[in-house]
Coordinates of all heavy atoms in Angstrom, one line a residue:
M1 N -10.2 -20.8 4.5 CA -11.6 -20.9 4.2 C -12.5 -20.1 5.2 O -13.4 -19.5 4.8 CB -12.0 -22.4 4.2 CG -11.3 -23.3 3.2 SD -11.6 -22.9 1.5 CE -13.4 -23.3 1.5
A2 N -12.2 -20.2 6.5 CA -13.0 -19.6 7.5 C -12.6 -18.1 7.8 O -13.4 -17.3 8.2 CB -12.9 -20.3 8.8
G3 N -11.4 -17.7 7.5 CA -10.9 -16.4 7.9 C -10.4 -15.6 6.7 O -11.0 -14.5 6.4
I4 N -9.3 -16.0 6.1 CA -8.6 -15.2 5.1 C -9.6 -14.8 3.9 O -9.8 -13.6 3.6 CB -7.4 -15.9 4.6 CG1 -6.2 -15.9 5.6 CG2 -6.9 -15.2 3.2 CD1 -5.6 -14.6 5.8
G5 N -10.2 -15.8 3.4 CA -11.1 -15.5 2.3 C -12.3 -14.7 2.6 O -12.6 -13.6 2.0
P6 N -13.1 -15.1 3.6 CA -14.3 -14.3 4.0 C -14.0 -12.8 4.4 O -14.7 -11.9 4.0 CB -14.9 -15.1 5.1 CG -14.5 -16.5 4.9 CD -13.1 -16.4 4.3
M7 N -12.9 -12.7 5.2 CA -12.7 -11.3 5.8 C -12.1 -10.4 4.6 O -12.5 -9.3 4.5 CB -11.6 -11.4 6.9 CG -12.2 -12.1 8.1 SD -13.7 -11.2 8.8 CE -15.0 -12.3 8.3
I8 N -11.1 -10.9 3.9 CA -10.6 -10.1 2.8 C -11.7 -9.8 1.7 O -11.8 -8.7 1.2 CB -9.4 -10.8 2.1 CG1 -8.2 -10.7 3.1 CG2 -9.0 -10.1 0.8 CD1 -6.9 -11.4 2.6
G9 N -12.5 -10.8 1.5 CA -13.6 -10.6 0.6 C -14.6 -9.5 1.0 O -15.0 -8.7 0.2
Q10 N -14.9 -9.5 2.3 CA -15.9 -8.5 2.8 C -15.2 -7.1 2.8 O -15.8 -6.1 2.5 CB -16.3 -8.9 4.2 CG -17.3 -10.1 4.2 CD -18.6 -9.8 3.5 OE1 -19.0 -8.7 3.4 NE2 -19.2 -10.9 3.0
A11 N -13.9 -7.1 3.2 CA -13.2 -5.9 3.1 C -13.2 -5.2 1.7 O -13.5 -4.0 1.6 CB -11.8 -6.0 3.7
G12 N -12.9 -6.1 0.8 CA -12.9 -5.6 -0.6 C -14.3 -5.1 -1.1 O -14.4 -4.1 -1.8
Y13 N -15.3 -5.9 -0.6 CA -16.7 -5.5 -1.0 C -17.0 -4.1 -0.5 O -17.5 -3.2 -1.2 CB -17.7 -6.5 -0.6 CG -19.2 -6.1 -0.8 CD1 -19.7 -6.2 -2.1 CD2 -19.9 -5.5 0.2 CE1 -21.0 -5.8 -2.3 CE2 -21.2 -5.1 0.0 CZ -21.8 -5.3 -1.2 OH -23.1 -4.9 -1.5
F14 N -16.8 -3.9 0.8 CA -17.2 -2.6 1.4 C -16.4 -1.5 1.0 O -16.9 -0.3 1.0 CB -17.3 -2.8 2.9 CG -18.5 -3.5 3.4 CD1 -18.4 -4.8 3.9 CD2 -19.7 -2.9 3.4 CE1 -19.5 -5.5 4.3 CE2 -20.9 -3.6 3.8 CZ -20.8 -4.8 4.3
M15 N -15.1 -1.7 0.6 CA -14.3 -0.7 0.2 C -14.5 -0.3 -1.3 O -14.4 0.9 -1.6 CB -12.8 -1.0 0.4 CG -12.3 -0.9 1.8 SD -10.5 -1.1 2.0 CE -10.3 -2.8 1.5
Q16 N -14.8 -1.3 -2.1 CA -14.7 -1.1 -3.6 C -16.1 -1.2 -4.2 O -16.4 -0.5 -5.2 CB -13.7 -2.1 -4.2 CG -12.3 -1.9 -3.7 CD -11.3 -2.9 -4.3 OE1 -11.8 -3.8 -5.0 NE2 -10.1 -2.7 -4.1
T17 N -16.9 -2.1 -3.8 CA -18.1 -2.5 -4.6 C -19.4 -1.9 -4.0 O -20.2 -1.5 -4.8 CB -18.2 -4.0 -4.6 OG1 -17.0 -4.6 -5.1 CG2 -19.4 -4.5 -5.5
A18 N -19.5 -1.9 -2.7 CA -20.8 -1.4 -2.1 C -21.0 0.0 -2.5 O -20.2 0.9 -2.5 CB -20.6 -1.5 -0.6
E19 N -22.3 0.3 -2.9 CA -22.7 1.6 -3.3 C -22.6 2.6 -2.1 O -22.2 3.8 -2.3 CB -24.1 1.6 -3.9 CG -24.2 0.8 -5.2 CD -25.6 0.9 -5.8 OE1 -26.5 1.7 -5.2 OE2 -25.9 0.3 -6.8
E20 N -23.0 2.1 -0.9 CA -22.9 3.0 0.2 C -21.6 2.6 1.0 O -21.4 1.4 1.4 CB -24.1 2.7 1.2 CG -24.1 3.6 2.4 CD -25.2 3.3 3.3 OE1 -26.1 2.5 3.0 OE2 -25.3 3.9 4.5
K21 N -20.8 3.5 1.2 CA -19.6 3.3 2.0 C -19.8 3.4 3.5 O -20.2 4.5 4.0 CB -18.4 4.3 1.6 CG -18.0 4.2 0.1 CD -17.4 2.8 -0.1 CE -17.0 2.6 -1.6 NZ -18.1 2.3 -2.5
I22 N -19.8 2.3 4.2 CA -20.1 2.3 5.6 C -18.8 2.2 6.4 O -18.1 1.1 6.4 CB -20.9 1.0 5.9 CG1 -22.2 1.1 5.1 CG2 -21.3 1.0 7.4 CD1 -23.0 -0.2 5.1
P23 N -18.3 3.3 7.0 CA -17.1 3.3 7.7 C -16.8 2.2 8.7 O -15.7 1.6 8.8 CB -17.1 4.7 8.4 CG -18.0 5.5 7.5 CD -19.0 4.6 7.1
F24 N -17.9 1.9 9.5 CA -17.7 0.8 10.5 C -17.4 -0.5 9.8 O -16.5 -1.3 10.3 CB -19.0 0.7 11.4 CG -18.8 -0.5 12.3 CD1 -18.1 -0.4 13.5 CD2 -19.5 -1.7 12.1 CE1 -18.0 -1.5 14.4 CE2 -19.4 -2.8 12.9 CZ -18.7 -2.6 14.1
A25 N -18.1 -0.9 8.8 CA -17.9 -2.1 8.1 C -16.5 -2.2 7.5 O -15.8 -3.2 7.5 CB -19.0 -2.3 7.0
I26 N -16.1 -1.1 6.8 CA -14.8 -1.0 6.2 C -13.7 -1.3 7.3 O -12.8 -2.0 7.1 CB -14.6 0.3 5.5 CG1 -15.5 0.4 4.3 CG2 -13.2 0.5 5.1 CD1 -15.5 1.8 3.6
Q27 N -13.9 -0.6 8.4 CA -12.9 -0.7 9.5 C -12.9 -2.1 10.1 O -11.8 -2.7 10.3 CB -13.1 0.4 10.6 CG -12.1 0.3 11.7 CD -12.4 1.4 12.8 OE1 -13.6 1.6 13.0 NE2 -11.4 1.9 13.4
R28 N -14.0 -2.6 10.3 CA -14.2 -3.9 10.9 C -13.5 -5.0 10.0 O -12.7 -5.8 10.5 CB -15.7 -4.3 11.0 CG -16.0 -5.8 11.3 CD -15.6 -6.2 12.7 NE -16.0 -7.6 12.9 CZ -15.2 -8.6 12.7 NH1 -13.9 -8.4 12.3 NH2 -15.6 -9.8 13.0
Y29 N -13.8 -5.1 8.7 CA -13.2 -6.1 7.9 C -11.8 -5.9 7.5 O -11.0 -6.8 7.4 CB -14.1 -6.3 6.7 CG -15.4 -6.9 7.0 CD1 -16.6 -6.2 6.9 CD2 -15.5 -8.2 7.5 CE1 -17.8 -6.8 7.2 CE2 -16.7 -8.8 7.8 CZ -17.9 -8.0 7.7 OH -19.1 -8.6 8.0
T30 N -11.4 -4.6 7.4 CA -10.0 -4.3 7.1 C -9.1 -4.7 8.3 O -8.1 -5.3 8.1 CB -9.8 -2.8 6.8 OG1 -10.6 -2.5 5.7 CG2 -8.4 -2.5 6.5
N31 N -9.5 -4.3 9.5 CA -8.7 -4.6 10.7 C -8.6 -6.1 10.9 O -7.5 -6.7 11.3 CB -9.3 -4.0 11.9 CG -9.1 -2.5 12.0 OD1 -8.4 -2.0 11.3 ND2 -9.9 -1.8 12.9
E32 N -9.7 -6.9 10.7 CA -9.6 -8.3 10.9 C -8.8 -9.0 9.8 O -8.0 -9.9 10.0 CB -11.0 -8.9 10.9 CG -11.1 -10.5 11.1 CD -10.5 -10.9 12.4 OE1 -10.1 -10.1 13.3 OE2 -10.3 -12.2 12.6
S33 N -8.9 -8.5 8.6 CA -8.0 -9.0 7.5 C -6.6 -8.7 7.8 O -5.7 -9.6 7.6 CB -8.4 -8.3 6.2 OG -9.7 -8.6 5.8
L34 N -6.3 -7.6 8.3 CA -4.9 -7.2 8.6 C -4.4 -8.1 9.7 O -3.2 -8.6 9.7 CB -4.8 -5.8 9.0 CG -3.4 -5.2 9.2 CD1 -2.6 -5.3 7.9 CD2 -3.5 -3.8 9.8
R35 N -5.2 -8.4 10.7 CA -4.8 -9.3 11.8 C -4.5 -10.7 11.3 O -3.5 -11.3 11.7 CB -5.9 -9.4 12.9 CG -5.5 -10.2 14.1 CD -6.8 -10.4 14.9 NE -7.7 -11.4 14.4 CZ -7.5 -12.8 14.5 NH1 -6.4 -13.3 15.0 NH2 -8.4 -13.6 13.9
L36 N -5.3 -11.2 10.4 CA -5.1 -12.6 9.8 C -3.9 -12.6 9.0 O -3.1 -13.6 9.1 CB -6.4 -13.0 9.0 CG -7.6 -13.2 9.8 CD1 -8.9 -13.3 8.9 CD2 -7.6 -14.3 10.8

C-alpha cells in the first residue's frame, strides 16, 4: 500500500501517461520501483 502501488503507479504515469516526459521523475520512480 505504501510502496509498491504508489511507486509503480507514479513510474507508469510519468513514463506512459504524462504529456511532458520529465527524465528526473521517470528515473526517480523507476529506480524506487525496481528497488522495491
Side-chain angles (χ1 to χ4, degrees):
M1 299 292 297
I4 289 287
M7 293 300 104
I8 290 179
Q10 291 295 333
Y13 174 79
F14 282 106
M15 283 191 294
Q16 298 176 353
T17 307
E19 293 183 6
E20 179 184 358
K21 296 298 182 283
I22 304 173
F24 175 79
I26 293 172
Q27 183 180 32
R28 163 75 178 90
Y29 290 114
T30 299
N31 287 347
E32 180 61 6
S33 297
L34 188 63
R35 185 190 73 80
L36 293 169

